[in-house]
Amino acid sequence: MSDETPDPAPGTPADFEASLEALESLVARMESGELGLEQSLEEFQQGMQLVDRCQRALDEAQRRMEALTTETSGNPEAASGTPPATDDDDPVPF
């Protein structure tokens, strides 16, 4: 990415969009069949780095969504999917 604009911070939506766009462009170049072996390998390596950046951005978005869900529900167990603890020895929940 040799643009004059600075790279967005890793893990941000802007980083995800920029990385995804670059990855789509890279895939199109590779699918064209016009690249030599060495250039294809370099493009593949760059593609793997872009995939990693996209995954980090998606992981960060998921973490933020889980934090927001926990904050809005006011119940961390509800957001994690863990059932609330009971003092009751009865296995029937009602």
Side-chain angles (χ1 to χ4, degrees), residues 66 69-85:
E66 289 170 354
T69 302
T70 301
E71 287 175 13
T72 57
S73 72
N75 185 355
E77 287 86 16
S80 69
T82 306

Side-chain angles (χ1 to χ4, degrees), residues 53-90:
R53 288 178 75 168
C54 287
Q55 187 61 55
R56 284 194 315 258
L58 289 172
D59 290 344
E60 174 64 15
Q62 181 176 0
R63 185 196 64 74
R64 289 176 60 195
M65 286 175 33
E66 289 170 354
L68 288 170
T69 302
T70 301
E71 287 175 13
T72 57
S73 72
N75 185 355
E77 287 86 16
S80 69
T82 306
T86 61
D87 294 333
D88 195 352
D89 289 335
D90 188 5

Side-chain angles (χ1 to χ4, degrees), residues 19-67:
S19 295
L20 188 59
E21 186 176 315
L23 186 58
E24 289 171 345
S25 174
L26 186 145
V27 168
R29 286 193 306 274
M30 290 183 74
E31 286 180 340
S32 74
E34 296 177 9
L35 302 176
L37 178 61
E38 190 61 35
Q39 192 172 9
S40 292
L41 289 171
E42 289 174 10
E43 295 280 313
F44 179 80
Q45 182 177 8
Q46 182 182 1
M48 293 305 297
Q49 292 169 349
L50 290 167
V51 166
D52 184 54
R53 288 178 75 168
C54 287
Q55 187 61 55
R56 284 194 315 258
L58 289 172
D59 290 344
E60 174 64 15
Q62 181 176 0
R63 185 196 64 74
R64 289 176 60 195
M65 286 175 33
E66 289 170 354

